[in-house]
Amino acid sequence: MTATLDSPVRIGKPAIGALGTLALALGTLQAVVEPSLPLLQHDLGIGPAEGPLIFITLLITGAVVAPIAGKLGDRYGGKRVLIVLMTLVSIGGMLSSLAPNLPVLLLGQVLQGAMVGALPLSFILVRKHLPPGQTQVAVGLVSGLFTGGGLVGMLIAGPIAEGLSRHWMFAIPTIAIIATTLIVARSMPDDPPAASDSRIDWLGVILLSCTLVALVLGFTAVAGGGLPPLVTGAVIVGVAALATGWVVVERRVPSPMVDLRMLAAPAMWSSCVVTLLMSLGFGMTVYLVPQLLSTPAEGYGFAASSTDIGLLLLPATIAGVVAGTIAGIAARRFSPRAVITVGAIATAAALLTLASMHDATWQLVVARALIGFAVSVSAIALLAGIATAVAAEDTGIATGLLVVTRVVGVAIGAQIAGAILEARIDPASDLPNESAFTTGFAIAGVITALSLLAVRIMKKGARA
């Protein structure tokens, strides 16, 4: 008998356990790059300007996959799409593990970015195959294990990369993903696709992908210097043309990937501005802190290994997890705008403090944890605020806009930080001057502080 939404095929603990284990493995694979980024740069022979590409490439794919993963699952069946995406992630993980150079590693990271679709597709599956009460428990389990995977990845990246090699750092989580995907394929029943008249905006997907890639690569090329003015101008024109084409398509198609018409609402565009500015500062921080920790101790650095960096960044990861559990409560009790304001002030203060105080590891650890907590709380409060500021049927579109904006902000922020370090490399040591880190933290703090201006507009938009 064919299963329908009215008579779903129930699933047991093994299927839920497989989904949870898959989420754990995905979270681990996603988290191994940040603590090992200096090691990867050294092994691949790349400088500070190219280093952020490793970190942000996965995010770019995620920004494209996030808005359409649920639509694909509803149209073609959650299990089928999940297996396809996990196949791409597995190929990407193996490419990353075998990568002899930066281009191959970046290709692997592009494919790994398909993992962003795993959570919404998992939620589709448990919603179709479990009663409401059990669905909430299963969603919490899968989400929690994905977050826990981030902690695991942060801890194991350094020991594996230093004890075995950077190749195994990607290979071990990928092997776990392959194994658990096979278990999901066997234990999870097929779910019927839902009837839908809306089409997938494939042209919008392609144009957004090209725009983001061109933006990041163009920024890297321009920031690296040495380009003739005409070439620099051509890069800028090319990115602008792709972005314009995407905007035109999204405004005209019946079912856009991202409905840009919502940006006309003050609450929407002000939330996007706040998200962009805070994400810029956060992206700069995520890149600068590991670079400073790994700099040789002769002078101003700490000579931290990948293992050390993972341990030192662990409080920041835990702070982000804790933020997720209390952000909704805080937003409901004090209002999203109040939470966002406090988060922006705390982030800016921590960054500006780092600009003048970064000569001890505890300063970096405390500041990074505070920034991770404040940015995570603010991001969730922004989602909660916009979800109540727009019509119920527009909630998915509005939150999708914020997700894309956040990814773009983090990507550009990391690139800005890399460009600052690249511009102030000491020819004698081939390392950035300490002033580069001071400048980077100060700029990140000022950018974050500017978000407070947009927060003021949010209140007016909410009243309107």
Side-chain angles (χ1 to χ4, degrees), residues 213-223 227 235 239:
V213 170
L215 176 66
V216 172
L217 294 181
F219 191 92
T220 302
V222 172
L227 291 180
V235 170
V239 173

Side-chain angles (χ1 to χ4, degrees), residues 334-380:
F334 301 107
S335 83
R337 181 174 177 270
V339 174
I340 296 163
T341 300
V342 173
I345 292 173
T347 303
L351 285 166
L352 294 174
T353 301
L354 273 181
S356 58
M357 295 174 55
H358 51 256
D359 53 359
T361 54
W362 71 266
Q363 296 168 351
L364 294 173
V365 171
V366 172
R368 179 65 180 83
L370 176 59
I371 292 167
F373 178 84
V375 171
S376 296
V377 168
S378 299
I380 296 172

Side-chain angles (χ1 to χ4, degrees), residues 89-281:
V89 172
S90 300
I91 295 172
M94 285 303 175
L95 276 176
S96 297
S97 68
L98 299 172
N101 51 44
L102 180 61
V104 177
L105 178 59
L106 293 181
L107 177 58
Q109 293 295 295
V110 167
L111 295 175
Q112 284 179 219
M115 72 171 64
V116 174
L119 285 183
L121 291 170
S122 297
F123 299 159
I124 287 175
L125 290 173
V126 298
R127 187 178 70 237
K128 288 182 177 180
H129 297 300
L130 289 176
Q134 295 181 26
T135 295
Q136 296 174 359
V137 175
V139 167
L141 175 66
V142 173
S143 301
L145 286 173
F146 182 81
T147 303
L151 299 177
V152 173
M154 194 70 68
L155 288 174
I156 70 171
I160 292 176
E162 294 164 6
L164 298 173
S165 72
R166 64 175 173 85
H167 305 287
W168 284 103
M169 180 181 71
F170 294 105
I172 291 176
T174 301
I175 293 171
I177 290 171
I178 294 172
T180 50
T181 299
L182 292 174
I183 296 174
V184 168
R186 289 181 60 87
S187 61
M188 184 68 63
D190 293 327
D191 57 308
S196 176
D197 295 329
S198 62
R199 296 182 178 180
I200 304 296
D201 179 20
W202 290 115
L203 182 57
V205 171
I206 294 171
L207 284 173
L208 178 60
S209 304
C210 294
T211 301
L212 293 176
V213 170
L215 176 66
V216 172
L217 294 181
F219 191 92
T220 302
V222 172
L227 291 180
L230 287 177
V231 176
T232 301
V235 170
I236 295 173
V237 170
V239 173
L242 286 169
T244 302
W246 179 64
V247 170
V248 170
V249 168
E250 295 304 280
R251 290 179 64 87
R252 292 185 177 181
V253 296
S255 299
M257 173 188 177
V258 178
D259 192 348
L260 298 177
R261 289 168 291 189
M262 291 193 64
L263 286 174
M268 189 69 243
W269 69 257
S270 60
S271 295
C272 285
V273 171
V274 174
T275 299
L276 178 64
L277 292 174
M278 293 196 69
S279 298
L280 283 169

Side-chain angles (χ1 to χ4, degrees), residues 12 24 35 75 98 187 203 282 311 347 349-350 358 360 417 421 460:
L24 179 69
R75 177 178 288 272
L98 299 172
S187 61
L203 182 57
F282 181 66
L311 291 171
T347 303
H358 51 256
L421 298 187
K460 299 177 183 178

Side-chain angles (χ1 to χ4, degrees), residues 13 36 41 60 69 73 79 108 185 224 227 234 249 256 268 373 408 451 455:
K13 293 181 179 179
S36 59
Q41 291 177 221
I60 292 174
K79 175 184 174 181
L227 291 180
V249 168
M268 189 69 243
F373 178 84
V408 171
S451 66
V455 173

